[in-house]
């Protein structure tokens, strides 16, 4: 446990300011995001929220993720509402325009975020997804030269017959960390069986049940230190790889 505490000291919890940016999806919907800039030359980590949430899912964790050598872009996807008292502005605008806001409709927003962040630094991004957006992150990362790696919290088959994630993961070509709760673990192992073992790391906590989605990283989660350690180890292994 002492070694875990020492490693976690490398990712301190601190207050970091963020700016609001807006860019456009392929159907002209304005997408709102928080941008956390470490260094303009650093690559970007794109932070994607779970169902019913907003960019506020990462208000605590984005500053800590920056210490891994990335800028962060926390995106409001059109399928969501609010979390941590931060509303989802993209979803609100989509409803005003009578645009569909199902989970799969958010794919356009993630594609736009990838292009936006890649164009800022001209370096491949890391996608961090939570629940339904974790599945979309896996879907969009495959064969995408603008994506370097994926961190997927609690991915699953969230799209019915419209999209099957398990079959799509055959020949997946990126390093991926799949984080889940103890209860989700057997399901996640089966879901990601088509990803080669050399590319994937599947994590579940040992000292508690864990959480669904990226809120597993929140300081209010009893097992958050275990999740943070898994992230440290993943990026220590994969930073520097193209």
């Amino acid at each position: 446990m002492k070694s875990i505490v020492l490693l976690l000291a490398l990712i301190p919890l601190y207050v970091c300011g963020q700016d609001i940016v807006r860019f456009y999806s392929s159907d002209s919907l304005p997408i709102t995001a928080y941008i956390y800039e470490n260094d303009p030359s650093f690559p970007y980590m794109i932070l994607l929220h779970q169902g019913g949430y907003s960019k506020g899912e990462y208000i605590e964790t984005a500053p800590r993720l920056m210490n891994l050598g990335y800028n962060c872009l926390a995106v409001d996807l059109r399928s969501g509402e609010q979390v941590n008292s931060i509303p989802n502005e993209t979803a609100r605008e989509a409803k005003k325009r009578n645009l569909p806001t199902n989970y799969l409709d958010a794919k356009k927003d993630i594609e736009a975020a990838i292009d936006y962040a890649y164009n800022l630094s001209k370096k491949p991004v890391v996608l961090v997804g939570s629940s339904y957006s974790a599945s979309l992150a896996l879907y969009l990362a495959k064969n995408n030269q603008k994506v370097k790696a994926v961190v997927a919290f609690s991915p699953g088959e969230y799209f019915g017959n419209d999209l099957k994630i398990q079959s799509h993961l055959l020949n997946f070509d990126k390093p991926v960390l799949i984080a889940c709760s103890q209860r989700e673990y057997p399901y996640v192992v089966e879901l990601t069986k088509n990803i080669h073992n050399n590319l994937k790391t599947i994590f579940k906590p040992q000292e508690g049940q864990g959480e669904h989605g990226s809120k597993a990283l929140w300081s209010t989660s009893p097992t958050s230190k275990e999740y943070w350690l898994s992230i440290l180890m993943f990026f220590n292994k994969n930073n520097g790889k193209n």
Side-chain angles (χ1 to χ4, degrees):
M1 178 59 69
K2 184 179 291 185
S3 62
I4 293 178
V5 173
L6 289 173
L7 282 168
L8 288 170
L10 298 175
I11 312 183
L13 178 60
Y14 62 94
V15 177
C16 175
Q18 74 279 342
D19 292 322
I20 293 177
V21 295
R22 292 184 176 87
F23 47 93
Y24 291 88
S25 190
S26 59
D27 58 358
S28 299
L29 176 68
I31 301 166
T32 300
Y34 282 157
I35 190 167
Y36 302 78
E37 191 171 77
N38 209 338
D39 184 302
S41 67
F42 285 2
Y44 277 80
M45 195 178 294
I46 299 177
L47 311 179
L48 308 167
H49 60 76
Q50 66 174 299
Y53 278 18
S54 72
K55 58 188 177 296
E57 182 170 338
Y58 296 94
I59 197 70
E60 174 189 340
T61 55
R64 298 179 70 172
L65 290 167
M66 289 172 68
N67 272 12
L68 295 168
Y70 290 84
N71 301 312
C72 287
L73 187 72
V75 184
D76 274 348
L77 304 174
R78 71 183 68 197
S79 184
E81 293 181 21
Q82 67 87 32
V83 68
N84 294 326
S85 302
I86 298 173
N88 188 320
E89 298 174 63
T90 304
R92 182 170 57 196
E93 188 63 28
K95 290 172 185 175
K96 286 182 182 178
R97 299 178 181 219
N98 294 315
L99 293 172
T101 56
N102 294 321
Y103 287 163
L104 195 54
D105 298 312
K107 181 170 73 73
K108 297 185 184 70
D109 308 333
I110 301 173
E111 290 170 332
I114 293 170
D115 288 342
Y116 179 80
Y118 179 83
N119 288 333
L120 288 175
S121 68
K122 303 302 181 183
K123 295 176 181 176
V125 305
V126 173
L127 295 179
V128 179
S130 180
S131 192
Y132 89 88
S133 69
S135 297
L136 289 178
L138 290 168
Y139 176 75
L140 291 171
K142 181 180 172 182
N143 298 326
N144 189 337
Q145 297 303 308
K146 294 180 180 179
V147 179
K148 173 183 176 180
V150 178
V151 178
F153 289 91
S154 305
E157 299 285 12
Y158 298 107
F159 314 107
N161 293 324
D162 294 327
L163 175 63
K164 295 297 182 183
I165 295 299
Q166 185 188 70
S167 58
H168 178 76
L169 296 180
L170 189 66
N171 298 320
F172 192 79
D173 60 340
K174 304 289 190 306
V176 57
L177 170 63
I178 302 116
C180 60
S181 66
Q182 288 190 13
R183 181 173 59 85
E184 293 167 332
Y185 181 76
Y187 172 79
V188 165
V189 169
E190 178 66 16
L191 178 76
T192 60
K193 67 181 182 180
N194 288 330
I195 301 178
H196 197 281
N197 288 334
N198 289 343
L199 289 172
K200 71 180 173 185
T201 302
I202 303 179
F203 169 80
K204 65 174 179 178
Q206 300 300 313
E207 298 181 0
Q209 285 296 314
E211 300 282 351
H212 177 81
S214 89
K215 63 179 180 287
L217 297 177
W218 295 0
S219 58
T220 52
S221 169
T223 54
S224 63
K225 289 181 179 179
E226 290 188 76
Y227 285 93
W228 278 111
L229 179 59
S230 72
I231 287 178
L232 269 174
M233 295 175 67
F234 177 76
F235 280 93
N236 184 59
K237 177 182 178 182
N238 290 288
N239 268 347
K241 292 184 179 180
N242 293 325

